[in-house]
Structure formats: structure tokens, C-alpha cells
Amino acid sequence: MLSFFTLSRGNKLSQITCKRHPLFLLVACKSFSLTDVERITKVINDNRFPEEPLHPTLLKHLPPGSISTVFVENALGRLFAAHSNGLKAMEFFKFCLQQSHFIPSSFSFEMTLHILTRMRYFEKAWELMMEIGRTHPSLLTLKAMSIMLSKIAKFQSYEDTLEAFDSMEKKVFVGKTFGTEEFNVLLRAFCTQREVKEARSVFQKMHARFNPNTKTMNILLLGFKGSGDVTAMELFYHEVIRRGFKPTALTYNIRIDAYCKKGYFGDGLRIFEEMERTNCLPTLETITTLIHGAGIARNLVKARQLFDEICKRNLQPDTGAYNALISALIKCGELNSAMSLMDEMEEKDIGHDGVTYHTIFLGLLKKNDTDGICQLYHRMIDRKFVPKTHTVVMLMKFFCVNSRLDLGLHFWQYLLEKGYCPHGHALDLLVTGLCSRGRLQEAFECSKQYLERGMRLSEVVYRILERFLQQSDNKDKLRELNEMIKKLQSVLAPSKGHAFAHSSSIAIE
């Protein structure tokens, strides 16, 4: 284990993660409505990239007076959730920067950076960071640094990540001396990718330069938890306790979560009792984690008891707490009770989120309740809710496997109308299902819509279309797809698993 470091005792723990959720920043504002946000994100996504420049379109649909800080934050949050093309998001952000009255926020810059790095447009992301460093240095935040380093740690090498950290200090955050907080961001980049060995290596190499604090230790503890090695996590925990580390509520929550996820609910309760003995007040997150743990252990009685204790502890159950109990109910086969909880949330004006829907859908799938899935799907659509990617893919697979291509196409069009770019896996499933049932024209149209929004077809789905279009003597359509792919290739970096225009040149000739 780590055997040397200097601890700053008594440091107040600051949040490890940003409180502002990256998917949406739904803020009530008199100057615009969420309908306006939905409209402009649809305009951006519907733009025929790269054939049509986005700038004239934005001029047409965005009068200068309509661009406010909160509007841009909401639009970029929606573009992030919609899996939009990163280059379009960046062009929208830069367009807004050109408006003299617009005051950019760090959140809008962070969202743009997040969209770019998620699509691995690192060169563009670096260019944007350098530009913002020159023109709006106040927008450069620890969160922006975290977004960039985390994605580099995920998609590139250990050495690339360290080099990026060094470049940020010397070329981006010019004039700022990096300290403990920046060091914590670097450690977190590795820990969030479950690269604990790399995080330990960084700590051992660089701890002498920086003064580790309570947050540093919690980040490393999170890394051990993410690796799934509970024994290593506990050894690390007791090592730092011996060296003066004072555990916080977050420290206990991390340990409880680690045990609960492994199915060691009794150990989770033991740490919970230890937490209370040390007069460290449990938070709502603590109770929610234990409810999840009770569900994993199939201990429904304890899950309900913990949920009922929330109000007794002067806390208020939120969507996360309800989701934990719903999950526990479904794991114990109490699907009807879980559905009733969903109704109770509506009665108490506690909103459903993506986890709520996904958990109920999983329960219905486990019961093989086709009618129930279709009913919940229509209920979700009636409420104009857009689920997260893993739910989209799960539903699309269900519709295609169970011969409900009508619902698959309906879902596809719904997502497009809401201004979303459905994930590539959803398209793969839909095209495969349509082609296997002889509905080639619809498969072609969906693929074309996807390409028009600046998204690349996978090699798998392209080969399927290629084969069926050739068999049906539709070489004109194949040529059209090939030209669209070629245009995208001219502006997007090559990426493994995506179709290349030259792959069908022989067939087209």
C-alpha cells in the first residue's frame, strides 16, 4: 500500500463531482421556454452536416436578442444529452460568443468541451481550450480540466494524460500555479476510469510537489471502490486512518457502497453503525446506498425499513431514494408494488428520471410482459420524456426482436422530433430488424437521417445495407450513402468500427 505522504488535517471536504448535472440545466427563465431550447437543438441536429454551414441557419433561427446565458446553457445541455455532433455544438457555442451582449458561462464551455471529447475530437477540444484561455480565461475551471483529462485517460495512454496535465499548466492555464486541487483532478481522471494502478503511480510520483488533503484520499478511495477490490480498499482506508486522515460522510458512503455492490450488505450495515458511533451524520445518499444494498441482498424488509427511516431522520426522499426502493422491489419480484411507487412519485410531485424508467422496463422484461412494456413506453412518450442511451438501445432491441418494428420506427421518429441523434447501437438494431423483414426503404431512410445529422454509420450496419441494396439492384441508393459517408470523412477523424466510403467502391462501380 501507499507508505508515504503528508496529510493536511482538518481540511473541509469539497464536492468531488460537479453538482450541476451535465445532461440538462433546466432552469426557469422568463426570456425563453424549454420549447425554444428543443426547437434550436432540433434545428442544429437537423442541419445537413457538412453540406450546409450552420452559421447562416443559426442567424435565421436565433435573433441576437434571444441569446442569453441560461438559454445557451440549456441548449448545450440538450445537445449533450442528444448525442449531437461535437463540431456542431462547438460552432453553436462560437456563434454565441460572437454576439456582443452574450455573457458566456463556464458551464456552457464545459458542455461544449464534454461533447467534443466524448466524440474524441481532442484536437478541436485543445484548440477551443487555448482560444478560451486567450479570450475568456475566467471560463477555465477545474471541471473543464476534469472533463478533458478524464476523456484522455479513457481513450489515450497514461503518458498522454500526464503530458496533457503538463500542457494545461504551461499552455492553457497560463499564469496559474497548479496546486492540490489540480492534482486531485488528475488523480480523479484515472480513478473514474478505474485505473487505480495509474492513480497510485501518479500519487507516488507527484505527492511531494502537492499537499494531499481529505479530498485526495476520498478520490483514491473511490478509485479502489471502482476497481471492485474491497480488500485493497479497506487496506488503503486503514493505512490513511493511521496517518491522520479524518473520514467524512463521503468516506463512509464510498465504503458502504463498495460492500453493497459486492453483495456484502451486512458489512455495509456494520460501517453504517460505525459511522453513527463516530457522530458522522448519515446523509440521504448514505440511506439510498443502503436501500440499494438491501435490494441486491434481496432483503426487502430492510429496504422498506431504511426508506421509512428517511423522514424520521429529518431528510426528504428524492428521486434517487425512490429509485433505490423500486430497484429493491423488482429484484424481489414485487413488480406491481414498484409500479405503485412510480404512481406515488407522481402524486408527491417527485419526478421520474431515466433510472426510474430503465428500472421498471427491466422488471417488465424480466417478467416477459410485452403489453406492460408497450404501455409504459406510451406513458413515457405521452409525458414527452426522453430516456438515456442505454434505455433507448434496450427498448429498440425489444421492439426489433419482438416484431414490433412499428414501435421501433415510432421511437426513432420521436427521438428525431425531440431534437435527438439516437445512438448508433439503436440504429444498428433498427436497420438489422427492418432489412431482415424486407423493409429496405425504411432502413435506408433511417440511415440517411443519421448521416445527415453528422453521425457515422457503423461498419456492421453499412455492410448490411450494402448487401441488401445490391441484392435489390438499388445501387443508386448505395452510391448516395457512399457519397454522404465520404463527405463526413473529409471533416471527421477516422474512427475504428465506422464505415469508410472506399469500402464499397468496387460494388458501386
Coordinates of all heavy atoms in Angstrom, one line a residue, residues 297-376:
A297 N -29.2 -7.7 -1.8 CA -29.2 -8.9 -0.9 C -30.6 -9.5 -0.8 O -30.8 -10.5 -0.1 CB -28.8 -8.4 0.5
R298 N -31.6 -9.0 -1.6 CA -32.9 -9.5 -1.6 C -33.6 -9.4 -0.2 O -34.4 -10.3 0.2 CB -33.0 -10.9 -2.1 CG -32.4 -11.2 -3.5 CD -33.1 -10.5 -4.6 NE -32.8 -10.9 -5.9 CZ -31.7 -10.4 -6.6 NH1 -31.0 -9.5 -6.1 NH2 -31.5 -10.9 -7.8
N299 N -33.2 -8.4 0.5 CA -33.8 -8.1 1.9 C -34.7 -7.0 1.8 O -34.4 -5.8 2.1 CB -32.6 -7.8 2.9 CG -33.1 -7.8 4.3 OD1 -34.3 -7.6 4.6 ND2 -32.2 -7.9 5.2
L300 N -36.0 -7.3 1.3 CA -37.0 -6.3 1.1 C -37.4 -5.6 2.4 O -37.7 -4.4 2.4 CB -38.1 -6.9 0.3 CG -39.2 -5.9 -0.2 CD1 -38.5 -4.8 -1.0 CD2 -40.2 -6.6 -1.1
V301 N -37.5 -6.4 3.5 CA -38.0 -5.8 4.7 C -37.0 -4.7 5.2 O -37.5 -3.6 5.6 CB -38.0 -7.0 5.8 CG1 -38.3 -6.3 7.2 CG2 -39.1 -8.0 5.5
K302 N -35.7 -5.0 5.1 CA -34.8 -3.9 5.5 C -34.8 -2.7 4.5 O -34.6 -1.6 5.0 CB -33.4 -4.5 5.5 CG -32.3 -3.7 6.2 CD -32.6 -3.4 7.6 CE -31.6 -2.5 8.3 NZ -31.9 -2.2 9.7
A303 N -35.0 -3.0 3.2 CA -35.1 -1.9 2.3 C -36.2 -1.0 2.6 O -36.1 0.3 2.6 CB -35.2 -2.5 0.9
R304 N -37.4 -1.5 2.9 CA -38.5 -0.7 3.3 C -38.3 0.0 4.6 O -38.7 1.2 4.7 CB -39.8 -1.6 3.4 CG -40.3 -2.1 2.1 CD -41.6 -2.9 2.3 NE -42.2 -3.5 1.1 CZ -42.9 -2.8 0.3 NH1 -43.2 -1.6 0.4 NH2 -43.4 -3.5 -0.8
Q305 N -37.7 -0.7 5.5 CA -37.4 0.0 6.8 C -36.5 1.2 6.7 O -36.7 2.2 7.2 CB -36.7 -1.1 7.8 CG -36.4 -0.5 9.1 CD -35.5 -1.5 9.9 OE1 -35.6 -2.7 9.8 NE2 -34.7 -1.0 10.8
L306 N -35.4 1.0 5.9 CA -34.5 2.1 5.6 C -35.2 3.3 4.9 O -34.9 4.4 5.2 CB -33.3 1.6 4.8 CG -32.3 0.7 5.5 CD1 -31.5 -0.1 4.5 CD2 -31.4 1.6 6.4
F307 N -36.0 3.0 4.0 CA -36.8 4.0 3.2 C -37.7 4.8 4.2 O -37.7 6.0 4.2 CB -37.6 3.4 2.1 CG -38.3 4.4 1.2 CD1 -37.6 5.0 0.2 CD2 -39.6 4.8 1.5 CE1 -38.2 6.0 -0.6 CE2 -40.2 5.8 0.7 CZ -39.5 6.4 -0.4
D308 N -38.3 4.1 5.1 CA -39.2 4.7 6.1 C -38.4 5.6 7.0 O -39.0 6.6 7.6 CB -40.0 3.7 6.8 CG -41.1 3.0 5.9 OD1 -41.4 3.5 4.9 OD2 -41.5 1.8 6.3
E309 N -37.2 5.2 7.3 CA -36.3 6.0 8.2 C -35.9 7.3 7.7 O -35.5 8.2 8.4 CB -35.1 5.2 8.6 CG -35.3 4.1 9.6 CD -34.0 3.4 9.9 OE1 -32.9 3.9 9.7 OE2 -34.0 2.3 10.5
I310 N -36.0 7.5 6.4 CA -35.5 8.8 5.8 C -36.2 10.0 6.4 O -35.5 10.9 6.9 CB -35.7 8.8 4.2 CG1 -34.8 7.7 3.6 CG2 -35.5 10.1 3.7 CD1 -35.1 7.5 2.1
C311 N -37.5 10.0 6.5 CA -38.3 11.1 7.1 C -38.0 11.2 8.6 O -37.9 12.3 9.1 CB -39.8 11.0 6.8 SG -40.2 11.1 5.0
K312 N -37.9 10.1 9.2 CA -37.6 10.1 10.7 C -36.3 10.7 11.0 O -36.0 11.2 12.1 CB -37.6 8.6 11.2 CG -38.9 8.0 11.1 CD -38.8 6.5 11.6 CE -40.2 5.8 11.4 NZ -40.1 4.3 11.8
R313 N -35.4 10.8 10.0 CA -34.0 11.4 10.2 C -34.0 12.8 9.7 O -33.0 13.4 9.5 CB -33.0 10.6 9.4 CG -32.7 9.2 10.0 CD -31.7 8.4 9.2 NE -31.4 7.1 9.8 CZ -30.5 6.9 10.7 NH1 -29.7 7.9 11.1 NH2 -30.3 5.7 11.1
N314 N -35.3 13.4 9.5 CA -35.4 14.8 9.0 C -34.8 15.0 7.6 O -34.3 16.1 7.3 CB -34.8 15.8 10.0 CG -35.6 15.8 11.3 OD1 -36.8 15.7 11.4 ND2 -34.8 15.8 12.5
L315 N -34.9 13.9 6.8 CA -34.5 14.0 5.4 C -35.7 13.8 4.6 O -36.7 13.3 5.0 CB -33.4 12.9 5.1 CG -32.1 13.0 5.9 CD1 -31.3 11.7 5.7 CD2 -31.3 14.2 5.6
Q316 N -35.6 14.2 3.3 CA -36.7 14.1 2.4 C -36.3 13.2 1.3 O -35.3 13.4 0.6 CB -37.1 15.5 1.8 CG -37.8 16.4 2.8 CD -39.1 15.8 3.4 OE1 -39.9 15.3 2.6 NE2 -39.3 16.0 4.7
P317 N -37.1 12.1 1.0 CA -36.8 11.2 -0.1 C -36.9 11.9 -1.4 O -37.8 12.6 -1.7 CB -37.8 10.1 0.0 CG -39.0 10.7 0.8 CD -38.4 11.7 1.7
D318 N -35.9 11.7 -2.3 CA -35.9 12.2 -3.6 C -36.0 11.1 -4.6 O -36.3 10.0 -4.3 CB -34.6 13.0 -3.8 CG -33.3 12.2 -3.7 OD1 -33.5 11.0 -3.5 OD2 -32.2 12.7 -3.9
T319 N -35.9 11.5 -5.9 CA -36.0 10.5 -7.0 C -35.0 9.4 -6.8 O -35.4 8.2 -7.0 CB -35.7 11.2 -8.3 OG1 -36.6 12.3 -8.5 CG2 -35.9 10.2 -9.5
G320 N -33.8 9.6 -6.4 CA -32.8 8.6 -6.2 C -33.2 7.6 -5.1 O -33.0 6.4 -5.3
A321 N -33.8 8.1 -4.0 CA -34.3 7.2 -2.9 C -35.4 6.3 -3.4 O -35.4 5.1 -3.1 CB -34.7 8.0 -1.7
Y322 N -36.4 6.9 -4.1 CA -37.5 6.1 -4.7 C -36.9 5.1 -5.7 O -37.4 3.9 -5.7 CB -38.5 7.0 -5.3 CG -39.6 7.5 -4.4 CD1 -39.5 8.7 -3.8 CD2 -40.7 6.7 -4.2 CE1 -40.4 9.2 -2.9 CE2 -41.7 7.2 -3.3 CZ -41.6 8.4 -2.7 OH -42.5 8.8 -1.8
N323 N -36.0 5.5 -6.5 CA -35.4 4.5 -7.5 C -34.8 3.3 -6.8 O -34.9 2.2 -7.3 CB -34.4 5.2 -8.4 CG -35.0 6.2 -9.4 OD1 -36.2 6.1 -9.6 ND2 -34.2 7.1 -9.9
A324 N -34.1 3.6 -5.6 CA -33.4 2.5 -4.9 C -34.5 1.5 -4.4 O -34.3 0.3 -4.5 CB -32.6 3.1 -3.7
L325 N -35.6 2.0 -3.9 CA -36.6 1.1 -3.4 C -37.3 0.4 -4.5 O -37.6 -0.8 -4.4 CB -37.6 1.9 -2.5 CG -38.7 1.1 -1.8 CD1 -38.1 0.0 -1.0 CD2 -39.6 2.0 -1.0
I326 N -37.5 1.1 -5.6 CA -38.1 0.5 -6.8 C -37.3 -0.7 -7.3 O -37.7 -1.8 -7.6 CB -38.4 1.5 -7.9 CG1 -39.5 2.4 -7.6 CG2 -38.6 0.8 -9.3 CD1 -39.7 3.6 -8.6
S327 N -35.9 -0.4 -7.3 CA -35.0 -1.5 -7.7 C -35.0 -2.7 -6.8 O -35.0 -3.8 -7.2 CB -33.6 -0.9 -7.8 OG -32.6 -1.9 -8.1
A328 N -35.1 -2.4 -5.5 CA -35.2 -3.5 -4.5 C -36.5 -4.3 -4.7 O -36.4 -5.5 -4.6 CB -35.1 -2.9 -3.1
L329 N -37.6 -3.6 -4.9 CA -38.9 -4.3 -5.1 C -38.8 -5.2 -6.3 O -39.3 -6.4 -6.3 CB -40.0 -3.3 -5.3 CG -40.4 -2.6 -4.0 CD1 -41.2 -1.3 -4.3 CD2 -41.2 -3.5 -3.1
I330 N -38.2 -4.7 -7.4 CA -38.2 -5.5 -8.6 C -37.2 -6.7 -8.5 O -37.5 -7.8 -8.9 CB -37.7 -4.6 -9.8 CG1 -38.9 -3.7 -10.2 CG2 -37.3 -5.4 -11.0 CD1 -38.6 -2.7 -11.3
K331 N -36.1 -6.5 -7.8 CA -35.2 -7.6 -7.5 C -35.9 -8.7 -6.7 O -35.5 -9.9 -6.8 CB -33.9 -7.1 -6.8 CG -32.9 -6.4 -7.8 CD -31.7 -6.1 -7.0 CE -30.6 -5.6 -7.9 NZ -30.9 -4.3 -8.6
C332 N -36.8 -8.3 -5.9 CA -37.5 -9.3 -5.1 C -38.9 -9.8 -5.7 O -39.7 -10.4 -5.0 CB -37.8 -8.7 -3.7 SG -36.3 -8.3 -2.7
G333 N -39.1 -9.4 -7.0 CA -40.2 -9.9 -7.7 C -41.5 -9.1 -7.4 O -42.6 -9.6 -7.8
E334 N -41.4 -7.9 -6.8 CA -42.6 -7.2 -6.4 C -42.8 -6.1 -7.5 O -42.8 -4.9 -7.2 CB -42.4 -6.5 -5.1 CG -42.3 -7.5 -3.9 CD -43.6 -8.2 -3.6 OE1 -44.7 -7.6 -4.0 OE2 -43.6 -9.2 -2.9
L335 N -43.1 -6.5 -8.7 CA -43.2 -5.5 -9.8 C -44.4 -4.6 -9.6 O -44.3 -3.4 -9.9 CB -43.3 -6.2 -11.2 CG -43.4 -5.4 -12.4 CD1 -42.2 -4.4 -12.6 CD2 -43.5 -6.2 -13.7
N336 N -45.5 -5.1 -9.2 CA -46.7 -4.3 -9.1 C -46.5 -3.2 -8.0 O -46.9 -2.1 -8.1 CB -47.9 -5.2 -8.7 CG -48.4 -6.0 -9.8 OD1 -48.2 -5.7 -11.0 ND2 -49.1 -7.1 -9.5
S337 N -45.8 -3.6 -6.9 CA -45.5 -2.6 -5.9 C -44.6 -1.5 -6.4 O -44.7 -0.3 -6.0 CB -44.9 -3.3 -4.7 OG -45.8 -4.2 -4.1
A338 N -43.6 -1.9 -7.3 CA -42.7 -1.0 -7.9 C -43.5 0.0 -8.7 O -43.2 1.2 -8.7 CB -41.6 -1.7 -8.7
M339 N -44.4 -0.5 -9.5 CA -45.2 0.4 -10.4 C -46.1 1.3 -9.5 O -46.3 2.5 -9.9 CB -46.2 -0.5 -11.3 CG -45.4 -1.4 -12.2 SD -44.7 -0.5 -13.6 CE -46.2 -0.2 -14.6
S340 N -46.6 0.9 -8.4 CA -47.3 1.7 -7.5 C -46.5 2.8 -6.9 O -46.9 4.0 -6.7 CB -47.9 0.9 -6.3 OG -48.8 -0.1 -6.8
L341 N -45.2 2.5 -6.7 CA -44.3 3.6 -6.2 C -44.1 4.7 -7.2 O -44.0 5.8 -6.9 CB -42.9 3.0 -5.8 CG -42.6 2.6 -4.4 CD1 -41.2 2.2 -4.2 CD2 -43.0 3.7 -3.4
M342 N -44.1 4.2 -8.5 CA -43.9 5.2 -9.6 C -45.1 6.2 -9.6 O -45.0 7.4 -9.8 CB -43.9 4.4 -10.9 CG -43.2 5.2 -12.0 SD -43.1 4.1 -13.5 CE -42.3 5.3 -14.6
D343 N -46.3 5.6 -9.3 CA -47.5 6.5 -9.2 C -47.4 7.4 -8.0 O -47.8 8.6 -8.1 CB -48.8 5.6 -9.1 CG -49.0 4.8 -10.3 OD1 -48.6 5.2 -11.4 OD2 -49.7 3.7 -10.2
E344 N -46.9 6.9 -6.9 CA -46.7 7.7 -5.7 C -45.8 8.8 -5.9 O -46.0 10.0 -5.4 CB -46.2 6.8 -4.5 CG -46.1 7.5 -3.2 CD -45.5 6.6 -2.1 OE1 -45.9 5.5 -2.0 OE2 -44.6 7.1 -1.4
M345 N -44.8 8.6 -6.7 CA -43.9 9.7 -7.0 C -44.6 10.8 -7.8 O -44.4 12.0 -7.5 CB -42.7 9.2 -7.9 CG -41.7 8.3 -7.2 SD -40.6 7.5 -8.3 CE -39.5 8.8 -8.7
E346 N -45.5 10.5 -8.7 CA -46.2 11.5 -9.4 C -47.1 12.3 -8.5 O -47.3 13.5 -8.6 CB -47.1 10.8 -10.5 CG -46.2 10.4 -11.7 CD -47.1 10.0 -12.9 OE1 -48.2 9.6 -12.7 OE2 -46.7 10.2 -14.1
E347 N -47.8 11.5 -7.6 CA -48.7 12.2 -6.6 C -48.0 13.2 -5.7 O -48.5 14.2 -5.3 CB -49.4 11.1 -5.7 CG -50.4 10.2 -6.5 CD -50.8 9.0 -5.7 OE1 -50.4 8.9 -4.5 OE2 -51.5 8.1 -6.2
K348 N -46.7 12.8 -5.4 CA -45.9 13.7 -4.5 C -45.1 14.7 -5.3 O -44.3 15.4 -4.7 CB -45.0 12.9 -3.6 CG -45.8 12.0 -2.6 CD -44.9 11.3 -1.6 CE -45.7 10.5 -0.6 NZ -44.8 9.8 0.4
D349 N -45.3 14.7 -6.6 CA -44.6 15.7 -7.5 C -43.1 15.4 -7.4 O -42.3 16.4 -7.4 CB -44.9 17.1 -7.1 CG -44.6 18.1 -8.3 OD1 -44.7 17.6 -9.4 OD2 -44.4 19.3 -8.0
I350 N -42.7 14.2 -7.3 CA -41.3 13.8 -7.4 C -41.1 13.2 -8.7 O -41.7 12.2 -9.1 CB -40.9 12.7 -6.3 CG1 -41.1 13.4 -4.9 CG2 -39.5 12.2 -6.4 CD1 -40.9 12.4 -3.7
G351 N -40.3 13.8 -9.5 CA -40.1 13.5 -10.9 C -39.5 12.1 -11.2 O -38.7 11.7 -10.4
H352 N -39.9 11.5 -12.3 CA -39.3 10.3 -12.7 C -38.0 10.7 -13.6 O -38.1 11.7 -14.3 CB -40.2 9.5 -13.7 CG -41.5 9.1 -13.0 ND1 -42.7 9.0 -13.7 CD2 -41.8 8.8 -11.7 CE1 -43.6 8.7 -12.8 NE2 -43.1 8.5 -11.6
D353 N -37.0 9.9 -13.4 CA -35.8 10.2 -14.3 C -35.5 9.0 -15.1 O -36.3 8.0 -15.1 CB -34.6 10.6 -13.4 CG -34.1 9.6 -12.5 OD1 -34.6 8.4 -12.5 OD2 -33.2 9.9 -11.7
G354 N -34.4 9.0 -15.8 CA -34.0 7.9 -16.7 C -33.9 6.6 -15.9 O -34.2 5.5 -16.5
V355 N -33.4 6.7 -14.7 CA -33.2 5.4 -13.9 C -34.5 4.8 -13.5 O -34.7 3.6 -13.6 CB -32.4 5.7 -12.6 CG1 -32.2 4.5 -11.8 CG2 -31.0 6.2 -13.0
T356 N -35.5 5.7 -13.2 CA -36.8 5.2 -12.9 C -37.4 4.3 -14.0 O -37.8 3.2 -13.8 CB -37.8 6.3 -12.6 OG1 -37.2 7.3 -11.8 CG2 -39.1 5.9 -11.9
Y357 N -37.4 4.9 -15.2 CA -38.0 4.2 -16.3 C -37.2 2.9 -16.7 O -37.7 1.9 -16.9 CB -38.0 5.1 -17.6 CG -39.2 6.1 -17.6 CD1 -39.0 7.5 -17.3 CD2 -40.5 5.7 -17.8 CE1 -40.0 8.3 -17.3 CE2 -41.5 6.6 -17.8 CZ -41.3 7.9 -17.5 OH -42.4 8.8 -17.5
H358 N -35.8 3.1 -16.7 CA -35.0 1.9 -17.0 C -35.2 0.8 -16.1 O -35.3 -0.4 -16.5 CB -33.5 2.3 -17.0 CG -32.6 1.3 -17.6 ND1 -32.5 1.1 -19.0 CD2 -31.8 0.4 -17.0 CE1 -31.6 0.2 -19.2 NE2 -31.2 -0.3 -18.1
T359 N -35.3 1.1 -14.8 CA -35.5 0.0 -13.8 C -36.8 -0.7 -14.0 O -36.9 -1.9 -13.9 CB -35.4 0.6 -12.4 OG1 -34.2 1.3 -12.2 CG2 -35.5 -0.5 -11.3
I360 N -37.9 0.1 -14.2 CA -39.2 -0.6 -14.4 C -39.2 -1.4 -15.7 O -39.8 -2.5 -15.8 CB -40.3 0.5 -14.5 CG1 -40.4 1.2 -13.1 CG2 -41.7 -0.1 -14.8 CD1 -41.0 0.4 -12.0
F361 N -38.6 -0.8 -16.8 CA -38.6 -1.6 -18.0 C -37.8 -2.9 -17.8 O -38.2 -3.9 -18.4 CB -37.9 -0.7 -19.1 CG -38.8 0.2 -19.8 CD1 -38.4 1.6 -19.9 CD2 -39.9 -0.2 -20.5 CE1 -39.3 2.5 -20.6 CE2 -40.8 0.7 -21.1 CZ -40.4 2.0 -21.2
L362 N -36.7 -2.9 -17.1 CA -36.0 -4.1 -16.8 C -36.9 -5.1 -16.1 O -36.9 -6.3 -16.4 CB -34.8 -3.8 -16.0 CG -33.5 -3.3 -16.7 CD1 -32.4 -2.9 -15.7 CD2 -33.0 -4.3 -17.7
G363 N -37.7 -4.6 -15.1 CA -38.6 -5.5 -14.4 C -39.6 -6.1 -15.3 O -39.9 -7.3 -15.2
L364 N -40.1 -5.3 -16.2 CA -41.1 -5.8 -17.2 C -40.5 -6.8 -18.1 O -41.1 -7.8 -18.5 CB -41.8 -4.7 -17.9 CG -42.7 -3.7 -17.1 CD1 -42.9 -2.4 -17.8 CD2 -44.0 -4.4 -16.8
L365 N -39.3 -6.6 -18.5 CA -38.6 -7.5 -19.4 C -38.3 -8.8 -18.7 O -38.5 -9.9 -19.3 CB -37.2 -6.9 -19.9 CG -37.2 -5.9 -21.0 CD1 -35.9 -5.2 -21.1 CD2 -37.6 -6.6 -22.3
K366 N -38.0 -8.8 -17.5 CA -37.7 -10.0 -16.7 C -39.0 -10.8 -16.6 O -39.0 -12.1 -16.6 CB -37.3 -9.6 -15.3 CG -36.8 -10.8 -14.4 CD -36.3 -10.3 -13.1 CE -35.9 -11.4 -12.2 NZ -35.4 -11.0 -10.9
K367 N -40.2 -10.2 -16.5 CA -41.5 -10.9 -16.5 C -42.0 -11.2 -17.9 O -43.0 -11.9 -18.0 CB -42.5 -10.0 -15.8 CG -42.3 -9.7 -14.3 CD -42.9 -10.8 -13.5 CE -42.8 -10.5 -12.0 NZ -43.4 -11.5 -11.2
N368 N -41.2 -10.8 -18.9 CA -41.6 -11.0 -20.3 C -43.0 -10.4 -20.5 O -43.8 -11.0 -21.3 CB -41.6 -12.5 -20.6 CG -41.5 -12.7 -22.1 OD1 -41.1 -11.9 -22.9 ND2 -42.0 -13.9 -22.6
D369 N -43.3 -9.3 -20.0 CA -44.6 -8.6 -20.1 C -44.6 -7.6 -21.2 O -44.3 -6.4 -21.0 CB -44.9 -7.9 -18.7 CG -46.3 -7.3 -18.7 OD1 -47.0 -7.3 -19.7 OD2 -46.7 -6.8 -17.6
T370 N -44.8 -8.1 -22.4 CA -44.8 -7.3 -23.6 C -45.8 -6.2 -23.5 O -45.5 -5.0 -23.9 CB -45.1 -8.2 -24.9 OG1 -44.1 -9.2 -24.9 CG2 -45.0 -7.4 -26.1
D371 N -47.0 -6.5 -23.1 CA -48.1 -5.5 -23.0 C -47.7 -4.4 -22.0 O -47.9 -3.2 -22.3 CB -49.4 -6.1 -22.6 CG -50.0 -6.9 -23.7 OD1 -49.6 -6.8 -24.9 OD2 -50.8 -7.8 -23.4
G372 N -47.1 -4.8 -20.9 CA -46.7 -3.8 -19.9 C -45.6 -2.9 -20.4 O -45.6 -1.7 -20.2
I373 N -44.6 -3.4 -21.2 CA -43.6 -2.6 -21.8 C -44.1 -1.6 -22.7 O -43.8 -0.4 -22.7 CB -42.5 -3.5 -22.5 CG1 -41.8 -4.3 -21.4 CG2 -41.5 -2.7 -23.3 CD1 -40.9 -5.4 -22.0
C374 N -45.1 -2.0 -23.6 CA -45.7 -1.1 -24.6 C -46.5 0.0 -23.9 O -46.4 1.1 -24.3 CB -46.6 -1.9 -25.5 SG -45.6 -3.0 -26.6
Q375 N -47.2 -0.4 -22.8 CA -48.0 0.6 -22.1 C -47.1 1.6 -21.4 O -47.4 2.8 -21.5 CB -48.8 -0.1 -21.0 CG -50.0 -0.9 -21.6 CD -50.7 -1.8 -20.6 OE1 -50.5 -1.6 -19.4 NE2 -51.5 -2.7 -21.0
L376 N -46.0 1.1 -20.8 CA -45.1 2.1 -20.1 C -44.4 3.0 -21.2 O -44.1 4.1 -20.9 CB -44.0 1.3 -19.3 CG -43.0 2.2 -18.5 CD1 -43.8 3.1 -17.5 CD2 -42.0 1.3 -17.8

